[in-house]
Amino acid sequence: MPLFDLPLPALHEYLPELDEPADLDEFWAGTLDRARTVEPILEVRPVKTGLSLVDTWDVTFAGHDGAPIRAWYLRPAGIEADLPVVVRYIGYGGGRSEPIEHLLWPSAGYGHLVMDTRGQGSRWGSGGDTPDPVGSGPAAPGSMTRGIESPETSYLTRLMTDAARAVDAARALPGADGRVVVTGGSQGGGLAIAAGSLVPDVDAVMADVPFLCQIRRAMDITDADPYQEIVRYLAVKRGREAAVENTLRYVDVVHLARRARADTLFSAALRDMTCPPSTVFAAYNHYAGLSGATPSKDIEVYPFNNHEGGAATQSMIQLAWLRDRVPAEATAR
């Protein structure tokens, strides 16, 4: 894949002007207030996985408007101490899959909550278990355009609310010490930024090749899905562009990233046609710009990679980075 976006020096300086809606904070505060009328944890049930070094629970928590969202909760076995929890969000089209696929963070001594993605989980991996109970009007195949003509009905509003509520759930889990880190790649990276901004007292944010950043620009400079779902929708729903673009202003994580306060580690791949590097740098460069906080900000750049980014290399970097900020000190029974 050739280089197609801005050169790296320009990416580090890229700080696009933003068109935030005037009621952005009011909209999200009201959305979260409604969701929080329900206690976060609905059910925590231990499950047997055949793993002897990791304990696992099947969790259901209350997401947008109290809808039940499934998750896995994993902890290192034989540990009696309360632990920080790393909340992970899944990439587009995937679900929470099986617990055996989520061993990195419990193996490193952390609690680990893996949020299922409502209405997804049928494109790759081992599937998901959470329906999206909210209907919508006509939509392009995929999730991006469900209810897209209003921020109140947008699928992305529901998904980002779920992500924020996953933080609330992580703090209420048995064996959790209250410290929460949010992470994910692609869609999961965008949700990590959103959750770390909507719940600004999280302890750290790790976002790999994040999706949902500067959405309108991404629609114009890449022909890859999922952004092209919106293009195909508007190719049929002629005349709806203003309504769609207004909705996107509420769910663009560049706007939310400005409100973040926690230390953050991003990654970007310069040949990424799915989440173009300029859109990632837009979120990174604007991160915490409105909150008044001065968190540490780091970004790993992979010049020769596409959307796979740094893969396991980035995971190793995350392990070291997080140990310095949110150490997991555990005592075996």
Side-chain angles (χ1 to χ4, degrees), residues 230-311:
I230 305 173
V231 174
R232 288 193 292 273
Y233 181 85
L234 290 173
V236 175
K237 295 290 185 177
R238 302 172 182 88
R240 307 290 179 86
E241 182 176 352
V244 169
E245 290 194 349
N246 182 59
T247 297
L248 297 179
R249 294 163 68 215
Y250 288 86
V251 296
D252 194 312
V253 299
V254 175
H255 297 168
L256 297 178
R258 299 177 71 205
R259 290 148 171 84
R261 306 183 67 86
D263 290 353
T264 192
L265 173 63
F266 275 57
S267 72
L270 298 191
R271 298 167 195 265
D272 188 346
M273 291 293 294
T274 302
C275 296
S278 61
T279 66
V280 174
F281 271 89
Y284 177 74
N285 292 336
H286 272 294
Y287 187 90
L290 195 64
S291 68
T294 55
S296 70
K297 295 168 46 175
D298 300 285
I299 187 166
E300 293 291 328
V301 177
Y302 295 94
F304 301 101
N305 287 94
N306 199 320
H307 194 50
E308 74 279 3

Side-chain angles (χ1 to χ4, degrees), residues 144-193:
M144 291 290 289
T145 61
R146 296 177 189 169
I148 198 172
E149 294 187 21
S150 167
E152 286 79 13
T153 60
S154 171
Y155 171 83
L156 293 175
T157 297
R158 297 194 291 279
L159 187 57
M160 291 180 181
T161 305
D162 295 345
R165 288 292 277 163
V167 175
D168 297 343
R171 288 176 170 154
L173 288 168
D177 71 4
R179 292 177 293 166
V180 175
V181 178
V182 290
T183 189
S186 191
Q187 175 182 259
L191 293 177
I193 298 168

Side-chain angles (χ1 to χ4, degrees), residues 23-298:
D23 65 341
L24 181 68
D25 292 323
E26 179 183 354
F27 170 79
W28 278 110
T31 300
L32 292 176
D33 284 348
R34 287 190 297 275
R36 286 176 172 147
T37 59
V38 180
E39 290 297 314
I41 299 293
L42 301 178
E43 182 182 34
V44 179
R45 178 174 57 85
V47 295
K48 293 182 178 180
T49 62
L51 300 171
S52 59
L53 300 181
V54 174
D55 293 332
T56 305
W57 292 262
D58 189 344
V59 173
T60 304
F61 69 90
H64 183 272
D65 281 346
I69 307 297
R70 303 288 293 278
W72 296 121
Y73 177 41
L74 302 94
R75 279 176 53 95
I79 299 300
E80 62 183 14
D82 291 343
L83 300 175
V85 176
V86 176
V87 178
R88 182 184 172 215
Y89 308 108
I90 305 299
Y92 191 77
R96 66 174 183 167
S97 297
E98 300 295 340
I100 198 170
E101 300 179 45
H102 307 296
L103 302 182
L104 174 65
W105 294 108
S107 298
Y110 294 87
H112 190 32
L113 184 70
V114 183
M115 187 186 89
D116 205 14
T117 308
R118 64 164 67 214
Q120 296 187 34
S122 60
R123 290 195 178 190
W124 58 269
S126 300
D129 300 295
T130 304
D132 182 8
V134 182
S136 70
S143 303
M144 291 290 289
T145 61
R146 296 177 189 169
I148 198 172
E149 294 187 21
S150 167
E152 286 79 13
T153 60
S154 171
Y155 171 83
L156 293 175
T157 297
R158 297 194 291 279
L159 187 57
M160 291 180 181
T161 305
D162 295 345
R165 288 292 277 163
V167 175
D168 297 343
R171 288 176 170 154
L173 288 168
D177 71 4
R179 292 177 293 166
V180 175
V181 178
V182 290
T183 189
S186 191
Q187 175 182 259
L191 293 177
I193 298 168
S197 305
L198 295 171
V199 190
D201 60 345
V202 299
D203 293 272
V205 174
M206 300 184 295
D208 290 331
V209 290
F211 179 48
L212 302 173
C213 304
Q214 211 180 3
I215 299 172
R216 189 62 183 85
R217 173 176 170 82
M219 289 165 55
D220 291 340
I221 68 172
T222 179
D223 61 359
D225 282 340
Y227 288 116
Q228 287 302 301
E229 292 177 19
I230 305 173
V231 174
R232 288 193 292 273
Y233 181 85
L234 290 173
V236 175
K237 295 290 185 177
R238 302 172 182 88
R240 307 290 179 86
E241 182 176 352
V244 169
E245 290 194 349
N246 182 59
T247 297
L248 297 179
R249 294 163 68 215
Y250 288 86
V251 296
D252 194 312
V253 299
V254 175
H255 297 168
L256 297 178
R258 299 177 71 205
R259 290 148 171 84
R261 306 183 67 86
D263 290 353
T264 192
L265 173 63
F266 275 57
S267 72
L270 298 191
R271 298 167 195 265
D272 188 346
M273 291 293 294
T274 302
C275 296
S278 61
T279 66
V280 174
F281 271 89
Y284 177 74
N285 292 336
H286 272 294
Y287 187 90
L290 195 64
S291 68
T294 55
S296 70
K297 295 168 46 175
D298 300 285

